[in-house]
Amino acid sequence: MSQVEVGKPVPDFTLPATGGVELRLSDLLGSQHLVLYFYPRDDTPGCTTEGRDFTEHYARLTEAGATVLGISRDGIRSHERFKDKYGFPFQLLSDEQETVCELFGVMKQKTMYGKPVRGIERSTFLVDRDGILRHEWRKVKVPGHVEQVLAALKTL
């Protein structure tokens, strides 16, 4: 599967999600835009801050016609604990096999404690109602990021 490109359709995918369901991209299209945010790990400081920012602005995001979904390589049980602990109003998807992470090109070599590790580069993607990738943010810095997503939503 090749990587996604802005202005082109996002290939269909299915991932397990919190709440004991599987979500298929094609089932979500039509009535809402999708905000897909990829984050490195559940319940870590930066990922918690990012999830809380999306939660804080959740009403504005949904009013702008978007569904928010968080994606990481953590398993569903970890996602359920993370979601419950912070009261996230959106679903978290598990990509333990890294297939969707690879599709979106978010798997990168990083350095942790001086050692190379492979992990998710914090990234967000805005997919319109028709399944076309409209915006991407890579190497996301959390402060102010959700406002950038909201501004992009208003252009759709």
Side-chain angles (χ1 to χ4, degrees):
M1 211 181 261
S2 63
Q3 288 188 357
V4 297
E5 290 181 49
V6 172
K8 297 201 173 172
V10 174
D12 202 14
F13 63 83
T14 302
L15 286 176
T18 49
V21 298
E22 290 215 336
L23 292 182
R24 175 182 286 272
L25 175 69
S26 57
D27 292 341
L28 300 170
L29 300 175
S31 63
Q32 296 282 303
H33 303 299
L34 294 176
V35 174
L36 305 175
Y37 82 92
F38 290 79
Y39 64 97
R41 287 200 60 152
D42 289 343
D43 215 4
T44 56
C47 298
T48 298
T49 299
E50 184 175 29
R52 291 173 104 175
D53 282 355
F54 275 108
T55 298
E56 180 181 326
H57 294 91
Y58 186 72
R60 290 175 59 205
L61 289 158
T62 58
E63 286 168 13
T67 295
V68 177
L69 300 170
I71 304 173
S72 82
R73 299 181 301 167
D74 294 301
I76 288 298
R77 287 199 308 190
S78 175
H79 278 350
E80 293 286 6
R81 287 190 301 269
F82 186 41
K83 181 179 178 186
D84 290 347
K85 183 175 181 179
Y86 295 102
F88 297 151
F90 46 82
Q91 290 183 307
L92 301 178
L93 282 62
S94 175
D95 188 17
E96 291 181 282
Q97 305 304 312
E98 302 176 3
T99 53
V100 177
C101 289
E102 290 293 343
L103 173 65
F104 282 85
V106 299
M107 295 303 300
K108 303 291 181 183
Q109 277 298 118
K110 300 154 99 175
T111 303
M112 186 176 289
Y113 305 114
K115 296 183 181 181
V117 294
R118 191 166 177 268
I120 292 177
E121 176 182 77
R122 192 178 312 280
S123 305
T124 301
F125 300 86
L126 179 56
V127 180
D128 73 11
R129 291 178 174 96
D130 298 319
I132 308 298
L133 179 61
R134 294 299 175 189
H135 294 276
E136 65 179 15
W137 295 266
R138 297 184 182 271
K139 298 182 182 179
V140 166
K141 301 293 183 221
V142 174
H145 174 59
V146 178
E147 286 85 0
Q148 294 172 334
V149 174
L150 278 162
L153 271 167
K154 290 177 183 175
T155 68
L156 297 181

